[in-house]
Amino acid sequence: MTKPPDIESTVPKAVVSRLSLYLRELQHIVRDGSDTTSSTQLGQLLGFSDAQVRKDLAYFGQFGYPGIGYKCQELITEIKKIMGTNRAWPVVLVGMGNLGRALLGYKGFEQQGFHVVAAFEVNPKIIGTQIEGIDVYHIRNLREIVINNDVKLAIVAVPSGEAQSIAEELVQAGIDGILNFAPVTITVPDNVSAVGVDLAIELEQLSFAVVNQTQKP
Amino acid sequence: MTKPPDIESTVPKAVVSRLSLYLRELQHIVRDGSDTTSSTQLGQLLGFSDAQVRKDLAYFGQFGYPGIGYKCQELITEIKKIMGTNRAWPVVLVGMGNLGRALLGYKGFEQQGFHVVAAFEVNPKIIGTQIEGIDVYHIRNLREIVINNDVKLAIVAVPSGEAQSIAEELVQAGIDGILNFAPVTITVPDNVSAVGVDLAIELEQLSFAVVNQTQKP
DNA sequence: TAGATTGTTAATCGATTAACAATC
DNA sequence: TAGATTGTTAATCGATTAACAATC
């Protein structure tokens, strides 16, 4: 209860993304039967320095025990609280192409507390059906479903050309965060967050690394 | 021909990932009918400063024309050369679950020059079949196919528990770069590159942003 | 107690931005 | 010529690492 109210705005993005990795490793460590870990172990597993692990966590509080390390379950709980995943998030998914369907069936979302409550499409052939047990709606029902289910997050898996206009509809419907799989930059208002995942770009990064044989230290 | 031979090792990762975004925007600008652009325009489209765009490109050479800007097609060619995507890359895909199948049908890979030449699975029911026109093989055929097709890149979409051992088989088979969709950290030798994409982590980042209402400047 | 490990400060390192001469 | 825009240098800003007192 002593955390200043504005720390979040000063936390670098890189720190937040590492936090997710710490959480993932902690879950593995617990599954492997350990109760505690250390900044050294976490760092080694992820290729970071021990100092960085401690510094990153220090942005949010004091979670460790000098001489002991970190209690995994405790740290997991704390990081989840920080990330906002200490509760379940209802999510809507727009676009039922190849990728959209796969995302609908992706187990990893549920495992981390994200629950797809509805899917949306324009293709009349699949509107009204269920895919992976989820109802597929026409986009015109978006607002209603978002409001009724208090949905804040949306996944966009529509073709590039439609991504921006879908994003705008989502914002109109009251969505606060958009995970965009279309390979375009979408523009959203300042009070809305957008994260883009471009699968081809990820392969391109790999191509660069291979071509330039980026030796790891 | 005047580029020093070791610049690549000194280029920050962040620069390389922005390079991919520049390439993507340039392709859109061309599609929209413009022949030239500027560091200011590129930066604005992506939310970066003009200075950053110029600085990033300067790592690799002088591609612009003072007073004019950049010729889009020319810059596209240059960036593709840098990224190694000025040629087609054969790719193998391991794991034919929901996600693997979707990736097999993902058009964006082909569009950027990545061509999936073979898919691999352990499930005997689908080995020998074709999915999206691609033959599905048993992993025991991996090495042979990788060598025959001179494949350097692999996409891994297997369950978490199998990711590390598959990665090792890929390395054994002569793969140089792995795009890993399993939500685990995989360990590869220094001469191999690995890029991880964890879909749940991307949603988690969004959750953090929404919970902490990270206001954009 | 001795050994381990934290949280935090100071030092280092790296990346971004501002500014501007050179160029078209 | 005047206006636009590059490439690059220097200044600023931010992030990482090293070091260590405090703690268990």
Side-chain angles (χ1 to χ4, degrees), chain A residues 98-100 102-103 106 109 155-158 160 179-184 195-207, chain B residues 20-21 24 83 85 91 93 98-114 116 153-157 178-182 195-200 202:
Chain A
N98 262 321
L99 190 59
L103 295 171
Y106 186 64
F109 289 147
I155 303 174
V156 171
V158 301
S160 300
L179 180 58
N180 174 35
F181 284 91
V184 289
V195 169
V197 177
D198 186 323
L199 302 176
I201 281 186
E202 302 295 343
L203 258 190
E204 209 169 86
Q205 295 294 306
L206 206 51
S207 157
Chain B
S20 279
L21 296 173
R24 196 175 76 179
M83 301 304 295
T85 51
V91 175
L93 206 163
N98 262 320
L99 190 59
R101 284 161 190 263
L103 295 171
L104 205 46
Y106 186 65
K107 300 295 188 304
F109 289 146
E110 284 291 343
Q111 279 164 25
Q112 296 304 320
F114 300 102
V116 181
L153 304 181
I155 303 174
V156 171
I178 298 174
L179 180 57
N180 173 35
F181 285 91
V195 168
V197 177
D198 185 322
L199 303 175
E202 303 294 343

Coordinates of all heavy atoms in Angstrom, one line a residue, chain A residues 98-100 102-103 106 109 155-158 160 179-184 195-207, chain B residues 20-21 24 83 85 91 93 98-114 116 153-157 178-182 195-200 202:
Chain A
N98 N -8.2 -18.5 -41.3 CA -7.2 -19.5 -40.7 C -6.7 -19.2 -39.4 O -6.8 -19.9 -38.4 CB -6.0 -19.5 -41.7 CG -6.1 -20.7 -42.6 OD1 -6.6 -21.7 -42.3 ND2 -5.7 -20.4 -43.9
L99 N -6.1 -18.0 -39.3 CA -5.5 -17.6 -38.0 C -6.5 -17.4 -36.9 O -6.3 -17.8 -35.8 CB -4.7 -16.3 -38.3 CG -3.7 -15.8 -37.2 CD1 -2.7 -16.9 -36.9 CD2 -3.0 -14.5 -37.6
G100 N -7.6 -16.7 -37.2 CA -8.6 -16.4 -36.2 C -9.1 -17.7 -35.6 O -9.2 -17.9 -34.4
A102 N -7.5 -20.6 -35.4 CA -6.5 -21.2 -34.6 C -6.4 -20.5 -33.3 O -6.2 -21.1 -32.2 CB -5.1 -21.1 -35.4
L103 N -6.5 -19.2 -33.3 CA -6.4 -18.4 -32.0 C -7.6 -18.8 -31.1 O -7.4 -18.9 -29.9 CB -6.4 -16.9 -32.3 CG -5.1 -16.4 -33.1 CD1 -5.3 -15.0 -33.5 CD2 -3.9 -16.6 -32.2
Y106 N -6.7 -21.8 -29.3 CA -5.4 -21.8 -28.7 C -5.5 -21.9 -27.2 O -6.1 -21.1 -26.5 CB -4.6 -20.5 -29.0 CG -3.2 -20.4 -28.5 CD1 -2.2 -21.3 -29.0 CD2 -2.8 -19.5 -27.5 CE1 -0.9 -21.2 -28.5 CE2 -1.6 -19.4 -27.0 CZ -0.6 -20.3 -27.5 OH 0.7 -20.2 -27.1
F109 N -4.2 -19.1 -24.2 CA -4.9 -18.0 -23.7 C -5.7 -18.3 -22.4 O -5.5 -17.6 -21.4 CB -5.9 -17.5 -24.8 CG -5.3 -16.9 -26.0 CD1 -5.9 -17.0 -27.2 CD2 -4.1 -16.1 -25.8 CE1 -5.3 -16.4 -28.3 CE2 -3.5 -15.5 -26.9 CZ -4.1 -15.6 -28.2
I155 N -9.0 -9.3 -29.9 CA -8.0 -9.8 -30.8 C -8.5 -9.6 -32.2 O -9.6 -10.0 -32.5 CB -7.7 -11.3 -30.5 CG1 -7.3 -11.5 -29.1 CG2 -6.6 -11.8 -31.5 CD1 -7.2 -13.0 -28.7
V156 N -7.6 -9.0 -33.0 CA -8.0 -8.7 -34.4 C -7.2 -9.6 -35.4 O -6.0 -9.6 -35.4 CB -7.7 -7.3 -34.8 CG1 -7.9 -7.0 -36.3 CG2 -8.7 -6.3 -34.0
A157 N -7.9 -10.4 -36.1 CA -7.3 -11.3 -37.1 C -8.0 -11.2 -38.4 O -8.3 -12.2 -39.0 CB -7.3 -12.8 -36.6
V158 N -8.2 -10.0 -38.9 CA -8.8 -9.8 -40.1 C -7.8 -9.4 -41.2 O -6.6 -9.1 -40.8 CB -9.9 -8.6 -40.0 CG1 -10.9 -8.9 -39.0 CG2 -9.2 -7.3 -39.7
S160 N -5.5 -7.2 -43.7 CA -4.9 -5.9 -43.5 C -5.8 -4.8 -43.9 O -5.9 -3.8 -43.1 CB -3.7 -5.7 -44.4 OG -2.7 -6.7 -44.1
L179 N -5.2 -6.5 -29.6 CA -4.0 -7.3 -30.1 C -4.2 -7.6 -31.6 O -5.1 -8.3 -32.0 CB -4.0 -8.6 -29.3 CG -2.8 -9.6 -29.7 CD1 -1.5 -8.9 -29.5 CD2 -2.9 -10.9 -28.8
N180 N -3.4 -6.9 -32.4 CA -3.6 -6.9 -33.8 C -2.6 -7.8 -34.6 O -1.4 -7.6 -34.6 CB -3.4 -5.5 -34.3 CG -3.4 -5.4 -35.8 OD1 -4.2 -6.1 -36.5 ND2 -2.6 -4.5 -36.4
F181 N -3.2 -8.8 -35.2 CA -2.4 -9.7 -36.0 C -2.3 -9.3 -37.5 O -1.7 -10.0 -38.3 CB -2.9 -11.2 -35.9 CG -2.6 -11.8 -34.6 CD1 -3.5 -11.7 -33.5 CD2 -1.4 -12.5 -34.4 CE1 -3.1 -12.3 -32.3 CE2 -1.1 -13.1 -33.2 CZ -1.9 -13.0 -32.1
A182 N -3.0 -8.3 -37.9 CA -3.0 -7.9 -39.3 C -1.6 -7.1 -39.5 O -1.2 -6.3 -38.6 CB -4.1 -6.9 -39.6
P183 N -1.0 -7.4 -40.6 CA 0.4 -6.8 -40.8 C 0.3 -5.3 -41.2 O 0.8 -4.9 -42.3 CB 1.0 -7.6 -41.9 CG -0.1 -8.3 -42.6 CD -1.3 -8.3 -41.7
V184 N -0.4 -4.5 -40.4 CA -0.4 -3.1 -40.7 C -0.4 -2.4 -39.3 O -0.7 -3.0 -38.3 CB -1.8 -2.6 -41.3 CG1 -1.8 -3.1 -42.8 CG2 -3.0 -3.2 -40.6
V195 N -1.3 -3.6 -29.4 CA -0.1 -4.4 -29.6 C -0.2 -5.1 -30.9 O -1.2 -5.7 -31.2 CB 0.1 -5.4 -28.4 CG1 1.2 -6.4 -28.7 CG2 0.3 -4.7 -27.1
G196 N 0.9 -5.0 -31.7 CA 0.8 -5.7 -33.0 C 1.8 -6.9 -33.0 O 2.8 -6.8 -32.5
V197 N 1.3 -7.9 -33.6 CA 2.1 -9.1 -33.8 C 2.1 -9.4 -35.3 O 1.0 -9.7 -35.9 CB 1.6 -10.4 -33.1 CG1 2.4 -11.6 -33.4 CG2 1.5 -10.1 -31.6
D198 N 3.2 -9.3 -36.0 CA 3.3 -9.5 -37.4 C 4.2 -10.8 -37.6 O 5.4 -10.8 -37.4 CB 3.9 -8.3 -38.1 CG 3.9 -8.5 -39.6 OD1 4.1 -9.6 -40.1 OD2 3.7 -7.5 -40.3
L199 N 3.5 -11.9 -38.0 CA 4.2 -13.2 -38.0 C 5.3 -13.2 -39.1 O 6.4 -13.7 -38.8 CB 3.2 -14.3 -38.3 CG 2.1 -14.4 -37.3 CD1 1.1 -15.4 -37.7 CD2 2.6 -14.7 -35.9
A200 N 5.1 -12.5 -40.2 CA 6.1 -12.5 -41.2 C 7.3 -11.7 -40.8 O 8.5 -12.0 -41.1 CB 5.6 -11.9 -42.5
I201 N 7.1 -10.6 -40.0 CA 8.2 -9.8 -39.5 C 9.1 -10.6 -38.5 O 10.3 -10.5 -38.5 CB 7.7 -8.5 -38.8 CG1 7.3 -7.5 -39.9 CG2 8.7 -8.0 -37.8 CD1 6.9 -6.1 -39.4
E202 N 8.4 -11.5 -37.8 CA 9.2 -12.3 -36.9 C 10.2 -13.2 -37.7 O 11.3 -13.4 -37.3 CB 8.3 -13.2 -36.0 CG 7.3 -12.4 -35.1 CD 8.0 -11.5 -34.1 OE1 9.2 -11.7 -33.8 OE2 7.3 -10.6 -33.6
L203 N 9.7 -13.8 -38.7 CA 10.5 -14.6 -39.6 C 11.6 -13.8 -40.2 O 12.8 -14.2 -40.4 CB 9.7 -15.3 -40.7 CG 9.3 -16.8 -40.5 CD1 8.7 -17.3 -41.8 CD2 10.5 -17.6 -40.1
E204 N 11.3 -12.6 -40.6 CA 12.2 -11.6 -41.2 C 13.4 -11.3 -40.2 O 14.5 -11.3 -40.6 CB 11.5 -10.4 -41.5 CG 12.1 -9.6 -42.7 CD 11.1 -8.5 -43.1 OE1 11.2 -7.4 -42.6 OE2 10.3 -8.8 -44.0
Q205 N 13.0 -11.2 -38.9 CA 14.1 -10.9 -37.9 C 15.0 -12.1 -37.9 O 16.2 -12.0 -37.7 CB 13.4 -10.7 -36.6 CG 12.6 -9.5 -36.5 CD 13.4 -8.2 -36.6 OE1 14.3 -8.0 -35.9 NE2 13.0 -7.4 -37.5
L206 N 14.5 -13.3 -38.0 CA 15.2 -14.5 -38.0 C 16.2 -14.6 -39.2 O 17.3 -14.9 -39.1 CB 14.3 -15.7 -38.0 CG 14.8 -17.0 -37.4 CD1 15.3 -16.8 -36.0 CD2 13.6 -18.0 -37.4
S207 N 15.6 -14.2 -40.3 CA 16.3 -14.2 -41.6 C 17.6 -13.2 -41.4 O 18.7 -13.6 -41.8 CB 15.4 -13.7 -42.7 OG 16.2 -13.1 -43.8
Chain B
S20 N 12.2 -3.7 -40.1 CA 11.1 -4.5 -40.7 C 9.8 -3.6 -40.8 O 9.0 -3.8 -41.7 CB 10.8 -5.7 -39.8 OG 11.7 -6.8 -40.1
L21 N 9.6 -2.8 -39.8 CA 8.4 -1.9 -39.9 C 8.6 -0.9 -41.0 O 7.6 -0.5 -41.6 CB 8.3 -1.2 -38.5 CG 7.9 -2.1 -37.3 CD1 7.9 -1.4 -36.0 CD2 6.6 -2.8 -37.5
R24 N 7.7 -2.6 -44.1 CA 6.2 -2.8 -44.2 C 5.5 -1.5 -44.7 O 4.7 -1.5 -45.6 CB 5.7 -3.3 -42.9 CG 4.3 -3.9 -43.0 CD 3.9 -4.4 -41.6 NE 3.5 -3.4 -40.6 CZ 3.1 -3.6 -39.4 NH1 3.1 -4.9 -39.0 NH2 2.8 -2.7 -38.6
M83 N 17.9 -7.4 -44.7 CA 17.2 -8.4 -43.9 C 17.4 -9.8 -44.5 O 17.1 -10.8 -43.8 CB 15.7 -8.1 -43.9 CG 15.3 -6.7 -43.3 SD 15.8 -6.5 -41.7 CE 14.9 -7.7 -40.8
T85 N 15.9 -10.8 -47.2 CA 14.6 -11.3 -47.8 C 14.6 -10.8 -49.3 O 13.5 -10.7 -49.9 CB 13.4 -10.7 -47.1 OG1 13.5 -9.3 -46.8 CG2 13.2 -11.4 -45.7
V91 N 11.2 -22.9 -45.9 CA 11.0 -23.0 -44.4 C 10.4 -24.4 -44.1 O 9.5 -24.8 -44.9 CB 10.1 -21.9 -44.0 CG1 9.7 -22.0 -42.5 CG2 10.7 -20.5 -44.2
L93 N 8.0 -26.5 -41.2 CA 7.1 -26.2 -40.1 C 6.9 -27.5 -39.3 O 6.5 -28.5 -39.9 CB 5.8 -25.7 -40.7 CG 4.9 -24.8 -39.8 CD1 3.9 -24.0 -40.7 CD2 4.2 -25.5 -38.7
N98 N -3.6 -26.9 -34.1 CA -4.4 -25.7 -34.5 C -3.5 -24.7 -35.1 O -3.7 -24.2 -36.2 CB -5.1 -25.1 -33.3 CG -6.5 -25.5 -33.2 OD1 -7.2 -25.6 -34.2 ND2 -6.9 -25.8 -31.9
L99 N -2.5 -24.3 -34.3 CA -1.7 -23.1 -34.7 C -0.8 -23.5 -35.9 O -0.7 -22.7 -36.9 CB -0.8 -22.7 -33.5 CG 0.0 -21.4 -33.7 CD1 -1.0 -20.3 -33.9 CD2 0.8 -21.2 -32.4
G100 N -0.2 -24.7 -35.9 CA 0.6 -25.1 -37.0 C -0.1 -25.1 -38.4 O 0.4 -24.6 -39.4
R101 N -1.3 -25.6 -38.3 CA -2.1 -25.6 -39.6 C -2.4 -24.2 -40.0 O -2.4 -23.9 -41.2 CB -3.5 -26.3 -39.3 CG -3.4 -27.8 -39.3 CD -4.7 -28.3 -38.6 NE -4.5 -29.7 -38.3 CZ -5.0 -30.7 -39.0 NH1 -5.6 -30.4 -40.1 NH2 -4.8 -32.0 -38.7
A102 N -2.7 -23.3 -39.1 CA -3.0 -21.9 -39.5 C -1.8 -21.2 -40.1 O -1.9 -20.5 -41.1 CB -3.5 -21.1 -38.3
L103 N -0.6 -21.5 -39.5 CA 0.6 -20.9 -40.0 C 0.9 -21.4 -41.4 O 1.4 -20.7 -42.2 CB 1.7 -21.2 -39.0 CG 1.6 -20.6 -37.6 CD1 2.7 -21.1 -36.7 CD2 1.7 -19.1 -37.7
L104 N 0.5 -22.7 -41.6 CA 0.8 -23.3 -42.9 C -0.1 -22.6 -44.0 O 0.4 -22.4 -45.1 CB 0.3 -24.8 -42.9 CG 0.9 -25.8 -43.8 CD1 2.4 -25.6 -43.9 CD2 0.6 -27.2 -43.4
G105 N -1.2 -22.1 -43.6 CA -2.1 -21.4 -44.6 C -1.9 -19.9 -44.5 O -2.6 -19.2 -45.2
Y106 N -1.0 -19.4 -43.7 CA -0.8 -18.0 -43.6 C -0.2 -17.3 -44.8 O 0.9 -17.7 -45.2 CB 0.0 -17.7 -42.3 CG 0.1 -16.2 -42.0 CD1 -1.0 -15.5 -41.6 CD2 1.4 -15.5 -42.1 CE1 -0.9 -14.1 -41.3 CE2 1.5 -14.2 -41.8 CZ 0.3 -13.5 -41.4 OH 0.4 -12.2 -41.1
K107 N -0.9 -16.4 -45.4 CA -0.5 -15.9 -46.7 C 0.7 -14.9 -46.5 O 1.5 -14.7 -47.4 CB -1.6 -15.1 -47.4 CG -2.9 -15.9 -47.7 CD -2.5 -17.0 -48.8 CE -3.8 -17.7 -49.2 NZ -4.6 -18.3 -48.1
G108 N 0.8 -14.3 -45.4 CA 1.8 -13.3 -45.1 C 3.2 -13.8 -45.3 O 4.1 -13.1 -45.7
F109 N 3.4 -15.1 -45.0 CA 4.8 -15.7 -45.2 C 5.2 -15.6 -46.6 O 6.3 -15.1 -46.9 CB 4.8 -17.1 -44.6 CG 4.7 -17.2 -43.1 CD1 4.1 -18.3 -42.5 CD2 5.3 -16.2 -42.3 CE1 4.0 -18.4 -41.2 CE2 5.2 -16.3 -40.9 CZ 4.5 -17.4 -40.3
E110 N 4.4 -16.2 -47.5 CA 4.7 -16.2 -48.9 C 4.9 -14.8 -49.4 O 5.9 -14.6 -50.2 CB 3.5 -16.8 -49.7 CG 3.4 -18.3 -49.6 CD 4.5 -19.1 -50.3 OE1 5.2 -18.4 -51.2 OE2 4.7 -20.3 -50.1
Q111 N 4.1 -13.9 -49.0 CA 4.2 -12.5 -49.5 C 5.5 -11.9 -49.2 O 6.0 -11.0 -49.9 CB 3.1 -11.7 -48.9 CG 1.7 -11.8 -49.6 CD 0.6 -11.3 -48.8 OE1 0.7 -10.4 -47.9 NE2 -0.6 -11.8 -49.1
Q112 N 6.1 -12.3 -48.1 CA 7.4 -11.7 -47.7 C 8.6 -12.7 -48.2 O 9.7 -12.5 -47.8 CB 7.5 -11.4 -46.3 CG 6.5 -10.3 -45.8 CD 6.7 -9.0 -46.6 OE1 7.8 -8.6 -46.9 NE2 5.6 -8.4 -46.9
G113 N 8.3 -13.7 -48.9 CA 9.3 -14.5 -49.5 C 9.7 -15.8 -48.7 O 10.7 -16.4 -48.9
F114 N 8.8 -16.2 -47.8 CA 9.0 -17.4 -47.0 C 8.1 -18.5 -47.5 O 6.9 -18.3 -47.6 CB 8.8 -17.2 -45.5 CG 9.7 -16.1 -45.0 CD1 9.2 -14.8 -44.7 CD2 11.0 -16.4 -44.7 CE1 10.1 -13.8 -44.2 CE2 11.9 -15.4 -44.2 CZ 11.4 -14.1 -43.9
V116 N 6.9 -22.4 -47.2 CA 7.0 -23.6 -46.4 C 7.0 -24.8 -47.4 O 6.2 -25.0 -48.2 CB 5.7 -23.7 -45.5 CG1 5.8 -25.0 -44.7 CG2 5.6 -22.5 -44.6
L153 N 15.6 -22.2 -42.2 CA 14.7 -21.7 -41.2 C 13.6 -22.7 -40.9 O 13.1 -23.3 -41.8 CB 14.0 -20.4 -41.7 CG 15.0 -19.2 -42.1 CD1 14.1 -18.0 -42.5 CD2 15.9 -18.8 -40.9
A154 N 13.2 -22.7 -39.6 CA 12.1 -23.6 -39.2 C 11.2 -22.9 -38.2 O 11.6 -22.0 -37.5 CB 12.7 -24.8 -38.4
I155 N 9.9 -23.3 -38.3 CA 8.9 -22.7 -37.4 C 8.4 -23.9 -36.5 O 8.1 -25.0 -37.0 CB 7.7 -22.2 -38.2 CG1 8.1 -21.1 -39.2 CG2 6.6 -21.7 -37.3 CD1 7.0 -20.6 -40.2
V156 N 8.4 -23.6 -35.2 CA 8.0 -24.7 -34.3 C 6.7 -24.3 -33.7 O 6.5 -23.3 -33.1 CB 9.1 -24.8 -33.2 CG1 8.6 -25.7 -32.1 CG2 10.4 -25.3 -33.8
A157 N 5.7 -25.2 -33.8 CA 4.4 -25.0 -33.3 C 4.0 -26.3 -32.6 O 2.9 -26.8 -32.8 CB 3.4 -24.6 -34.3
I178 N 15.3 -20.6 -35.7 CA 14.0 -21.2 -35.3 C 13.1 -20.1 -34.8 O 13.4 -19.3 -33.9 CB 14.3 -22.2 -34.1 CG1 15.2 -23.3 -34.6 CG2 13.0 -22.8 -33.6 CD1 15.7 -24.3 -33.5
L179 N 11.9 -20.1 -35.4 CA 10.8 -19.3 -34.9 C 9.9 -20.2 -34.0 O 9.2 -21.1 -34.5 CB 10.0 -18.7 -36.0 CG 8.8 -17.8 -35.7 CD1 9.3 -16.6 -34.9 CD2 8.1 -17.3 -37.0
N180 N 9.9 -19.9 -32.7 CA 9.3 -20.8 -31.7 C 8.0 -20.2 -31.2 O 8.0 -19.2 -30.5 CB 10.3 -21.0 -30.6 CG 9.6 -21.8 -29.5 OD1 8.8 -22.7 -29.7 ND2 10.0 -21.5 -28.2
F181 N 6.9 -20.9 -31.4 CA 5.6 -20.5 -30.9 C 5.2 -21.2 -29.6 O 4.2 -20.9 -29.1 CB 4.5 -20.7 -32.0 CG 4.5 -19.7 -33.1 CD1 5.3 -19.9 -34.2 CD2 3.9 -18.5 -32.9 CE1 5.3 -19.0 -35.2 CE2 3.9 -17.6 -34.0 CZ 4.6 -17.8 -35.1
A182 N 6.0 -22.1 -29.2 CA 5.7 -22.8 -27.9 C 6.1 -21.8 -26.8 O 7.1 -21.2 -26.8 CB 6.5 -24.1 -27.8
V195 N 13.9 -17.1 -32.2 CA 13.0 -16.0 -31.9 C 11.8 -16.6 -31.4 O 11.2 -17.6 -31.9 CB 12.7 -15.2 -33.2 CG1 11.5 -14.2 -32.9 CG2 13.9 -14.4 -33.7
G196 N 11.3 -16.1 -30.2 CA 10.1 -16.7 -29.6 C 8.9 -15.8 -29.7 O 9.0 -14.6 -29.6
V197 N 7.8 -16.4 -30.0 CA 6.5 -15.6 -30.1 C 5.6 -16.3 -29.1 O 5.2 -17.5 -29.4 CB 5.9 -15.5 -31.5 CG1 4.6 -14.8 -31.4 CG2 6.9 -14.8 -32.4
D198 N 5.2 -15.6 -28.0 CA 4.3 -16.2 -27.1 C 3.0 -15.4 -27.1 O 2.9 -14.3 -26.6 CB 4.9 -16.2 -25.7 CG 4.0 -16.9 -24.6 OD1 2.8 -16.8 -24.7 OD2 4.6 -17.6 -23.8
L199 N 2.0 -16.0 -27.7 CA 0.7 -15.3 -27.9 C 0.1 -14.8 -26.6 O -0.5 -13.7 -26.6 CB -0.2 -16.2 -28.7 CG 0.3 -16.7 -30.1 CD1 -0.6 -17.6 -30.8 CD2 0.7 -15.5 -31.0
A200 N 0.1 -15.7 -25.6 CA -0.5 -15.3 -24.4 C 0.2 -14.1 -23.7 O -0.4 -13.2 -23.1 CB -0.6 -16.5 -23.4
E202 N 1.7 -11.7 -25.3 CA 1.3 -10.5 -26.0 C 0.0 -10.0 -25.4 O -0.2 -8.8 -25.2 CB 1.1 -10.8 -27.5 CG 2.3 -11.3 -28.2 CD 3.5 -10.3 -28.2 OE1 3.3 -9.1 -28.0 OE2 4.7 -10.8 -28.4

